[in-house]
Amino acid sequence: MTTVNSPSAQAIQLNGMLVRSQVSRQLEVWKKAFQAFLVQAKASGSQQAELVVSLKGIEKVDTAGLAVLLQLSRQASQHGVDLVFQDASPQLLALAQLCSLNKLLRLT
């Protein structure tokens, strides 16, 4: 996972696979990147933070990966952060729609 900062927005890029065998590793990497984002947002005095998660580097996804994205969304919401997932693959979009999660997970 790579963290990318720009003046107008904060972004984290997910890389690799969002599959059952990688769930624990992806959540650990997310935790570190998200904590760094929270520290930076607090330091900037931002009241309403938005975080963009780029899924461009995701090679493969399954339902366990979809559960990871739900967990990320839930954690962000608990901290008052608006989370947007961008660059979702057609496979991920279809899986989210099949599971009726496409509107809950702000996927673009």
Side-chain angles (χ1 to χ4, degrees):
M1 185 179 308
T2 304
T3 304
V4 180
N5 299 323
S6 73
S8 60
Q10 295 289 321
I12 294 175
Q13 181 171 330
L14 293 178
N15 297 304
M17 296 186 290
L18 280 174
V19 295
R20 183 170 310 282
S21 63
Q22 298 293 314
V23 167
S24 295
R25 186 181 74 75
Q26 289 285 11
L27 285 173
E28 281 302 312
V29 173
W30 161 261
K31 183 179 177 181
K32 291 175 187 174
F34 187 62
Q35 288 300 321
F37 166 78
L38 290 175
V39 167
Q40 190 172 20
K42 185 176 181 179
S44 71
S46 174
Q47 295 287 22
Q48 184 63 28
E50 182 177 88
L51 179 60
V52 175
V53 177
S54 174
L55 302 173
K56 192 173 192 171
I58 296 299
E59 301 162 9
K60 186 176 179 182
V61 65
D62 65 10
T63 55
L66 199 56
V68 167
L69 297 182
L70 282 171
Q71 178 64 21
L72 304 185
S73 183
R74 195 172 307 131
Q75 286 178 353
S77 180
Q78 289 172 347
H79 286 66
V81 175
D82 289 328
L83 192 62
V84 177
F85 296 101
Q86 70 179 19
D87 304 320
S89 69
Q91 177 195 12
L92 176 55
L93 292 171
L95 184 60
Q97 186 173 9
L98 180 67
C99 297
S100 300
L101 297 173
N102 50 324
K103 292 183 181 166
L104 182 63
L105 285 173
R106 297 177 60 198
L107 293 166
T108 62

